[in-house]
Amino acid sequence: MLAGFEGQWTGHSLRRGFATAARKAGHDLVRIGRHGGWADGSRALLGYLEDSDRWEDNPVVGTGL
């Protein structure tokens, strides 16, 4: 709790937060991956993306279904 935050935090927490926030802001996965040091087409990058809001981020929203 050195920075005043409770819980377990690692360097991966920052990578996950960056990738998730960038994707939620509408940035392209290729650009996110290149900025974060992932190889183009990296499946590992997908593991870093969190479903921040499964209703709002649902791919069916806006399709009329």
Side-chain angles (χ1 to χ4, degrees):
M1 194 163 102
L2 296 175
F5 296 110
E6 293 185 21
Q8 295 181 344
W9 299 88
T10 69
H12 289 282
S13 301
L14 297 175
R15 284 174 61 89
R16 186 179 195 99
F18 154 69
T20 300
R23 186 62 178 159
K24 187 158 179 74
H27 295 285
D28 180 69
L29 283 178
V30 172
R31 303 281 298 167
I32 294 169
R34 288 180 181 173
H35 187 83
W38 286 280
D40 286 358
S42 170
R43 294 183 72 199
L45 169 57
L46 299 178
Y48 278 82
L49 301 175
E50 292 184 31
D51 288 333
S52 54
D53 185 334
R54 291 184 183 204
W55 289 107
E56 181 181 317
D57 294 337
N58 190 318
V60 176
V61 171
T63 63
L65 296 176

